[in-house]
Amino acid sequence: QVQLAESGGGLVQAGGSLRLSCAASGRTFSSYTMGWFRQAPGKEREFVATITWSGGSTLYADSVKGRFTISRDNTKSTVYLQMNSLKPEDTAVYYCAARRAFISASSREYDSWGQGTQVTVSS
């Protein structure tokens, strides 16, 4: 398994931007599909975005499409989530996750998880 650590969360006003980072340990980062999920208080964890090992394919939740961008730098073993035009409903703990297969929007199919980073969007 790969160890993951998220960073970049914080408090931002509606309409603002944040960039989350997820650093991975291990020498096989480039073989993993990476995903971002989020969980708001009292709600189930939900899919946000995912990217294949090469970065050639991505998938987004409808709620973030056109506002969020997932990317990765395999030389730095890091995956990013650029979040623009943030809304109060984007408030959640954001988690990155890894799996050794093609992209998936199902959290049950990811093997490794980070501890999460809090994103709070004020209105």
Side-chain angles (χ1 to χ4, degrees), residues 13-83:
Q13 289 188 333
S17 298
L18 281 175
R19 188 176 82 154
L20 305 184
S21 299
C22 174
S25 63
R27 294 173 290 179
T28 59
F29 173 77
S30 61
S31 66
Y32 284 86
T33 286
M34 299 299 297
W36 284 98
F37 293 79
R38 66 188 183 186
Q39 188 166 19
K43 295 188 177 181
E44 294 187 353
R45 189 169 297 187
E46 66 173 0
F47 167 72
V48 175
T50 182
I51 187 168
T52 53
W53 67 272
S54 67
S57 293
T58 58
L59 181 68
Y60 294 92
D62 288 343
S63 59
V64 307
K65 201 172 295 183
R67 300 187 298 123
F68 291 10
T69 302
I70 188 171
S71 62
R72 67 190 296 161
D73 185 342
N74 287 341
T75 66
K76 297 181 179 179
S77 297
T78 301
V79 62
Y80 305 97
L81 185 68
Q82 178 67 45
M83 305 186 294

Side-chain angles (χ1 to χ4, degrees), residues 1-3 25-26 28 32 100 111-112:
Q1 289 188 338
V2 62
Q3 283 72 50
S25 63
T28 59
Y32 284 86
R100 281 186 172 273
D111 308 306
S112 301

